[in-house]
Amino acid sequence: MARSFESELTDLQEQGLLRRVRTFDSPQAILMKCDGREIINFSSNDYLGLADSDLLKTAAKTALDEFGSGSGSSRLVCGTLAPHAQLEAALARFKNTRAALSFSSGYAAAVGTLSALCHEGDVIILDKLCHASLIDGARLSGAFIRVFPHLHYDKLESHLKWARKSYPDARIVVATESVFSMDGDCSPLVPIVELKNRFDALLLLDEAHAIGVLGKNGRGLAFDQGVEKDVDIHMGTLSKALGAAGGYICGSQALVDFLINRARSFIYSTAPSPVVAAAAKAAVEFLQTSEGEQRRQLLWQNIQLMERELPRSIQDRTKYSSAILPLILGSSQRALAIADALLDEGFLVPAIRYPTVARDSARLRITLTATHSRDQISALCKTLNAIYAKL
Ligand code: PLP
């Protein structure tokens, strides 16, 4: 007899892997209302606190009045409205590329782009900790997939050697992240660039958690490390530090024209709402102002405060390179127990479990934003200390 949904759900429950959605009765902000309680949010990727800002709300409302809520069709039919074009022009200026293309999500950007770039006989090489969207895009492409252990560039080199020797004419794409979403560490990019140039491969860099956070004006890690010109395909999302929704690819005009013709998640999906495109454009422009840069600096002050205040016995590392601070706990049950205890004390910190991370590396994933107060950060550190002491 075929297995039922119920039996699969029971299995997940028994392994501590069942997920449920929780509904909030307030905007995406630091203080959120859930079941009539106010809780302090340390789980959001809204790193600059823009999602509920007047700036983005005004841009969205203006676009709503001018363009309505929906786009009506895919971009290639009649869905490209002025806010989409304006967002793409702003993104290309921001990333200093010839062109940009927006998608309905970062996931759609990754899946559509990798599956357009590569096919059977091509090769995609990924860091082991790459996000599911990159993995799914690679799988969908039908290309050979090779994975190198996290940041292990000797192995990347041997994969590239193998790929170029075995498939001299193949398109080879190295896909990786600048800030890893569940670990918060960064890729050193100079060695990757050297390798991809040596083996005539393309580099796709997902800056989902770096845009708005790293590099002057939040342009991302490639700018921070001075290799932005060597990244062939800049990918990212408008949904995290930019406080809106959607994904993007920035690069050459030929790349963007190619994706317009080949990326199925772009071609066969209704264009994102013009309201969201206008909000995202306002965020991209805000980052380039002195106020935007100040907001980014505030985020970094909070990250440094957390480094100082989180007890050494709890920290997995003493220096953080992004706004994502993982506390590795091992078992799912342990991570869930601590997340529940934190929630009882009024702090929302998610337990991240398999399959998002490896089975034995369940963790708490704390995210900081520019809008957390010093008191809120200190209170979380004290509460964590007390909970760990009781374990
Ligand atoms: N890439 C990374 C590294 C991510 O963490 C995410 C978001 O979860 C995505 C891509 C997908 O972006 P989006 O949420 O806009 O679909």
Side-chain angles (χ1 to χ4, degrees):
M1 198 171 67
R3 64 195 189 288
S4 66
F5 301 142
E6 288 81 359
S7 71
E8 285 200 35
L9 288 168
T10 306
D11 284 353
L12 287 174
Q13 173 88 50
E14 282 168 3
Q15 295 172 59
L17 297 178
L18 190 68
R19 273 113 159 130
R20 289 186 198 284
V21 290
R22 186 180 275 130
T23 304
F24 295 93
D25 306 313
S26 53
Q28 187 57 236
I30 297 299
L31 294 178
M32 296 189 69
K33 269 200 216 118
C34 185
D35 299 332
R37 282 175 69 207
E38 197 163 71
I39 48 184
I40 306 177
N41 184 6
F42 279 98
S43 68
S44 174
N45 301 316
D46 179 27
Y47 301 122
L48 298 178
L50 291 180
D52 187 38
S53 65
D54 288 343
L55 177 82
L56 266 64
K57 285 195 281 196
T58 304
K61 282 178 194 160
T62 308
L64 182 66
D65 287 344
E66 254 186 80
F67 292 94
S69 60
S71 296
S73 77
S74 86
R75 293 279 304 274
L76 285 172
V77 178
C78 65
T80 299
L81 306 179
H84 300 117
Q86 287 161 6
L87 168 64
E88 287 163 353
L91 279 165
R93 269 196 306 276
F94 181 55
K95 297 294 262 183
N96 202 15
T97 56
R98 285 304 295 269
L101 190 65
S102 61
F103 290 74
S104 52
S105 67
Y107 185 91
V111 168
T113 300
L114 280 173
S115 63
L117 287 172
C118 291
H119 307 289
E120 213 180 311
D122 292 325
V123 183
I124 299 178
I125 308 177
L126 304 149
D127 187 291
K128 173 108 174 80
L129 296 191
C130 274
H131 188 257
S133 57
L134 297 170
I135 298 168
D136 293 355
R139 285 184 180 152
L140 190 63
S141 73
F144 295 105
I145 299 176
R146 288 290 178 271
V147 174
F148 56 97
H150 184 44
L151 304 183
H152 204 297
Y153 295 159
D154 288 348
K155 193 65 190 171
L156 168 61
E157 180 175 6
S158 70
H159 283 326
L160 279 164
K161 241 185 225 159
W162 163 82
R164 198 34 90 219
K165 188 156 176 253
S166 314
Y167 304 97
D169 301 324
R171 180 174 284 154
I172 304 174
V173 175
V174 177
T176 193
E177 287 170 38
S178 48
V179 171
F180 287 86
S181 58
M182 296 300 138
D183 288 70
D185 57 340
C186 293
S187 288
L189 295 175
V190 173
I192 301 191
V193 161
E194 190 276 315
L195 284 170
K196 74 100 192 172
N197 284 339
R198 177 140 52 97
F199 291 97
D200 188 23
L202 297 173
L203 174 60
L204 182 153
L205 183 66
D206 178 358
E207 298 249 32
H209 297 274
I211 186 167
V213 175
L214 293 173
K216 186 152 167 39
N217 293 114
R219 285 189 157 82
L221 187 71
F223 280 84
D224 203 35
Q225 298 191 2
V227 295
E228 72 279 4
K229 291 262 175 297
D230 296 286
V231 176
D232 304 284
I233 304 134
H234 295 264
M235 185 201 133
T237 167
L238 308 165
S239 62
K240 302 188 193 301
L242 291 169
Y248 70 82
I249 294 288
C250 291
S252 66
Q253 189 64 55
L255 170 70
V256 165
D257 291 344
F258 171 81
L259 292 176
I260 288 172
N261 285 276
R262 287 275 189 262
R264 293 169 68 86
S265 61
F266 175 85
I267 300 169
Y268 298 108
S269 184
T270 297
S273 162
V275 174
V276 177
K281 174 185 167 259
V284 171
E285 286 174 346
F286 173 73
L287 285 184
Q288 296 166 81
T289 63
S290 56
E291 215 186 327
E293 182 60 11
Q294 270 166 24
R295 185 73 72 98
R296 199 176 71 79
Q297 295 301 337
L298 270 181
L299 168 65
W300 277 97
Q301 284 167 21
N302 281 344
I303 295 168
Q304 282 149 11
L305 177 68
M306 189 84 180
E307 269 170 14
R308 289 196 301 277
E309 298 227 344
L310 199 60
R312 288 278 172 266
S313 54
I314 293 179
Q315 288 189 14
D316 289 298
R317 56 184 84 125
T318 50
K319 190 110 196 84
Y320 291 105
S321 30
S322 72
I324 301 165
L325 286 61
L327 301 179
I328 315 275
L329 290 155
S331 82
S332 298
Q333 281 82 0
R334 200 168 139 84
L336 274 179
I338 300 185
D340 286 347
L342 280 167
L343 195 58
D344 287 345
E345 298 295 327
F347 298 97
L348 181 64
V349 178
I352 306 291
R353 295 160 285 156
Y354 179 81
T356 307
V357 294
R359 270 194 194 277
D360 56 353
S361 77
R363 66 199 61 188
L364 296 178
R365 178 181 183 268
I366 301 169
T367 47
L368 290 175
T369 74
T371 42
H372 282 109
S373 71
R374 298 176 77 85
D375 286 350
Q376 287 164 340
I377 293 172
S378 299
L380 173 66
C381 291
K382 279 201 194 94
T383 308
L384 269 168
N385 202 19
I387 292 172
Y388 271 62
K390 274 197 222 143
L391 285 174

